[in-house]
Amino acid sequence: MSLLLLSPLRADPSAPDDAVTFPTPDALVGTLIRFAWLASMVLAIGAVVFRELVLPRVLAPTWPEGPRRLAARAATLGWSAALLALAALAGRLVLQVQELRIPDVPVDVELLQMLVWRTTWGKLWLVQIALAVAAWRAFAGARAGYRVGWTVAAACAAGLAVTSALGSHAAGVEGWARVAVASDAVHALAAGGWAGGLATLFMAALWHRSGTPDDPAALIPRIVHAFSPVALTAAGLLAATGVINSWLQLGSLSDLWLTTWGITLLVKLGFVGSAAAFGAWNWRRIAPRLGDPDAADLLRRSAWWELTAMTLALLATAVLVATSVPSAQ
């Protein structure tokens, strides 16, 4: 998942390659903005996946209102993700202007018009703004109980994944651009299904402890069992498309440890592997015990660590997408 916001990664670009350097403040801000964009997309997709693929398989005969309340919480998370996307898009515009402006020359309307209306980046940015606004309104409608809100939100979340892929490194792969863009879009959707779906499950169900009027504790075993096949499918797609994306971007296998892009990818894979290990532990060891008094607390803690690893993987991705790919060097 790339954004082509190539912020500087070295404090002194003229320093030799083996010099010890640190990220500049601008690079750190750029990384945070890209992270916010990726996180908003993943959370929006995850909210839709939780509502459309998980909750329909959760039966609650003793609490008929349970699924509806969980859906409302998922919609709230999606609504928040859409607002975060709008903020990140504003930050992306600022970063892109800084990339194009001439030093010591004030930014004028002509530069903004040229960037937004006359470049591929700007046209994609406008589409993403429209999709984020539509998603924000759709999630608000879904939270109020309108079924059509989820349909529109799903289309918008998928649109964000596709437009992100169209503006990524994948679009520049010679001879394989269509395959690379499709793989990158599926990669984003799979990340949303796994990481975003788990985040939604955590916030909608696991975060709420016993004793509250709308406590979903009794539904947690059913929710987890309904989410497990979705997470496994998403993780499989994430791995498969990750291999395809890496193969298309790497010039050779040695680029994995000889280039900044490859080393960053290895760091990301380490975090993804950690998240997968926690997920496997949840699936094989904790999920079968759900219903025991302490199992929900164990699942809550383990899911927290899984989400932490996923967050770090997303942060590594925010660095990765701003690093020149080996195949383009």
Side-chain angles (χ1 to χ4, degrees):
M1 292 176 286
S2 311
L3 305 181
L4 292 184
L5 297 177
L6 304 182
S7 300
L9 295 179
R10 300 174 66 86
D12 182 6
S14 63
D17 290 339
D18 58 351
V20 177
T21 59
F22 298 94
T24 66
D26 287 346
L28 292 175
V29 170
T31 297
L32 290 176
I33 290 173
R34 289 188 295 273
F35 171 76
W37 166 249
L38 295 172
S40 67
M41 185 168 54
V42 165
L43 289 173
I45 295 169
V48 172
V49 166
F50 184 77
R51 169 61 183 83
E52 297 300 312
L53 299 182
V54 177
L55 285 183
R57 301 176 60 232
V58 177
L59 300 178
T62 60
W63 187 30
E65 288 294 303
R68 186 186 66 80
R69 293 192 180 183
L70 291 170
R73 292 173 186 170
T76 299
L77 183 61
W79 180 85
S80 302
L83 285 181
L84 179 61
L86 287 171
L89 285 166
R92 287 179 57 197
L93 179 62
V94 172
L95 287 179
Q96 202 69 10
V97 168
Q98 292 300 320
E99 289 282 333
L100 295 179
R101 69 184 293 246
I102 300 173
D104 301 324
V105 176
V107 177
D108 55 17
V109 175
E110 184 177 354
L111 175 62
L112 289 174
Q113 288 179 338
M114 183 276 295
L115 174 61
V116 173
W117 297 106
R118 302 178 190 175
T119 67
T120 300
W121 184 94
K123 292 174 182 177
L124 285 173
W125 182 84
L126 286 173
V127 172
Q128 289 169 340
I129 283 285
L131 288 171
V133 171
W136 175 61
R137 294 297 303 148
F139 279 119
R143 186 171 57 174
Y146 294 102
R147 183 66 184 87
V148 68
W150 284 109
T151 302
V152 175
C156 291
L160 290 175
V162 172
T163 53
S164 181
L166 287 171
S168 72
H169 289 314
V173 176
E174 294 184 7
W176 295 87
R178 292 184 179 180
V179 173
V181 167
S183 177
D184 201 62
V186 174
H187 194 72
L189 292 171
W194 180 18
L198 179 62
T200 306
L201 187 156
F202 187 87
M203 296 301 296
L206 294 178
W207 186 261
H208 294 264
R209 296 177 179 273
S210 302
T212 60
D214 54 351
D215 176 34
L219 294 182
I220 287 178
R222 298 179 183 183
I223 296 170
V224 171
H225 289 304
F227 176 68
S228 292
V230 174
L232 289 171
T233 301
L237 286 173
L238 191 71
T241 53
V243 170
I244 294 172
N245 295 346
S246 299
W247 175 71
L248 291 172
Q249 302 291 0
L250 288 170
S252 64
L253 184 62
S254 61
D255 286 337
L256 273 174
W257 56 86
L258 294 179
T259 66
T260 302
W261 192 90
I263 292 171
T264 307
L265 176 61
L266 290 176
V267 172
K268 173 187 173 179
L269 291 177
F271 290 132
V272 172
S274 298
F278 281 113
W281 176 265
N282 293 337
W283 176 46
R284 299 293 296 176
R285 294 301 182 94
I286 299 180
R289 295 178 51 194
L290 288 175
D292 295 345
D294 298 330
D297 286 334
L298 289 174
L299 179 63
R300 187 179 293 110
R301 288 194 294 270
S302 182
W304 172 261
W305 286 111
E306 185 178 351
L307 283 172
T308 299
M310 289 175 173
T311 301
L312 293 173
L314 208 59
L315 188 60
T317 303
V319 176
L320 189 69
V321 299
T323 305
S324 297
V325 297
S327 59
Q329 295 176 357

